Amino acid sequence: MGPGVQGSERSVVTVGVYDGVHLGHQRVVGRAVAVAGERGLRSVAVTFEPHPDEVVRPGSHPHRLTSARRRAELLAGLGVDTIDTVEFSFGLSQWTPAEFAQKVLAERLRAAVVVVGADFTFGQDAAGDVETLRTLGDKYDFEVESVPRLDDISSTSIRERLTAGDVAGAAAELGRPHRVEGVVVRGYQRGRQLGFPTANVETPQYTAIPADGVYAGWLQCVPVANLPALYDGERWPAAISVGTNPTFEGVPRTVEAYALDRDDLELYGAHVAVEFAARLRGNTRFDSIEALITQIHADVEDTRRLTS
């Protein structure tokens, strides 16, 4: 389950899947960090991996807004002292709310205060809610604070926006551009042949990828363990293509990013992030390569304007 809390030290704990670490999540986590600061205690964010839906409802596999690594990075950026990633298993899904409160919150993390969203549920069949948690807190000596939900922001609504290609709307709920990450692999190199070399990004399974289309955004090298760290984490404005490229037959669905004015980048094998700012257009089949190149030039200029 991770390191827990050592010795007799008590903590302020927040619990959630926190996929996306969106503005609503940030509000809850921020409150936990603030309470910890007020009381001189350590703040702990409890998250779960894999996503509970993958275990409770096999085959549902919700598209992930953030990888476990990225989620931990974002939570740490909010000031959380410890990220405790709990391995979510079928056995854990069968725990009653009381078992979770005792084993994780009371014994493992020695919670003094637990901060959760107002719609928080936990335990077998999501049987526990905030009031259940308050009752258990009386038993196991921790206080409970619930944070009201922020408008209609949720991981589900963000996924729906991405499915529709509304990356600007997703960014408004996330509080930052939506990002997908992956390793740059060799593709058909058609972009290079057209004068616009792209990074072909192989994303992990179940990544939340926006609808097919052309987008303005950014491309950035991200250092991760066991992969080359290139270009010191530079971030470049980029024209991004998602889809099968209907002008060419037999092309699998890909995420490709052209860093504006950079034809010198050697990114094969590097871990990169692609961030989406705005959707420029849907995918179109062009009658000629010349027409495609003309449109790419227009896409590049639109990207330059939107990311300047």
Side-chain angles (χ1 to χ4, degrees):
M1 281 192 190
V5 172
Q6 302 300 315
S8 60
E9 181 183 8
R10 302 200 71 182
S11 63
V12 176
V13 180
T14 184
V15 186
V17 177
Y18 289 137
D19 185 26
V21 194
H22 55 61
L23 289 176
H25 294 152
Q26 292 171 38
R27 190 179 190 184
V28 176
V29 174
R31 180 57 189 157
V33 170
V35 171
E38 292 165 4
R39 303 199 181 197
L41 300 175
R42 175 166 293 271
S43 58
V44 181
V46 177
T47 68
F48 303 94
E49 190 66 26
H51 193 291
D53 283 353
E54 295 183 29
V55 175
V56 177
R57 289 179 287 277
S60 62
H61 302 305
H63 290 169
R64 301 295 297 272
L65 298 172
T66 48
S67 65
R69 185 201 63 79
R70 175 63 171 160
R71 179 181 59 196
E73 179 181 82
L74 291 168
L75 290 170
L78 295 173
V80 173
D81 294 311
T82 300
I83 292 92
D84 197 350
T85 302
V86 175
E87 181 180 356
F88 198 89
S89 63
F90 179 76
L92 180 61
S93 75
Q94 301 302 298
W95 284 8
T96 64
E99 286 177 302
F100 182 84
Q102 178 186 356
K103 294 178 181 180
V104 176
L105 301 178
E107 296 176 359
R108 177 178 175 71
L109 299 177
R110 293 191 48 75
V113 184
V114 178
V115 180
V116 294
D119 55 355
F120 175 72
T121 59
F122 68 113
Q124 185 178 16
D125 299 324
D129 58 14
V130 173
E131 289 310 310
T132 308
L133 192 61
R134 292 190 198 281
T135 299
L136 292 167
D138 291 339
K139 180 177 181 180
Y140 293 113
D141 190 29
F142 59 77
E143 299 172 34
V144 174
E145 183 173 332
S146 67
V147 178
R149 181 169 174 152
L150 188 61
D151 299 325
D152 294 323
I153 293 175
S154 70
S155 298
T156 298
S157 68
I158 294 169
R159 292 188 192 101
E160 290 172 349
R161 288 186 180 277
L162 294 173
T163 298
D166 181 12
V167 295
E173 294 191 24
L174 286 166
R176 63 183 185 279
H178 176 60
R179 167 189 285 199
V180 302
E181 297 187 17
V183 177
V184 177
V185 298
R186 291 189 182 275
Y188 293 96
Q189 297 190 320
R190 291 198 176 104
R192 184 174 297 277
Q193 295 165 12
L194 297 173
F196 303 92
T198 59
N200 188 348
V201 183
E202 186 174 71
T203 57
Q205 194 174 25
Y206 311 130
T207 296
I209 298 172
D212 289 2
V214 177
Y215 297 85
W218 296 270
L219 173 67
Q220 180 177 20
C221 285
V222 178
V224 297
N226 303 319
L227 285 175
L230 302 176
Y231 301 102
D232 295 322
E234 286 186 62
R235 183 173 182 256
W236 308 283
I240 305 157
S241 174
V242 177
T244 59
N245 197 334
T247 301
F248 300 99
E249 300 291 343
V251 178
R253 191 168 193 256
T254 60
V255 176
E256 298 181 72
Y258 164 63
L260 269 54
D261 307 320
R262 297 298 300 263
D263 59 5
D264 60 330
L265 301 178
E266 295 295 339
L267 296 172
Y268 293 124
H271 188 93
V272 299
V274 177
E275 295 181 340
F276 296 82
R279 191 170 195 253
L280 302 179
R281 60 180 176 86
N283 282 345
T284 304
R285 181 182 179 89
F286 293 91
D287 295 331
S288 68
I289 299 301
E290 290 74 17
L292 172 60
I293 292 174
T294 298
Q295 182 59 62
I296 294 175
H297 277 290
D299 295 336
V300 165
E301 291 312 307
D302 285 341
T303 297
R304 196 185 308 280
R305 174 176 53 83
L306 289 166
T307 58
S308 62

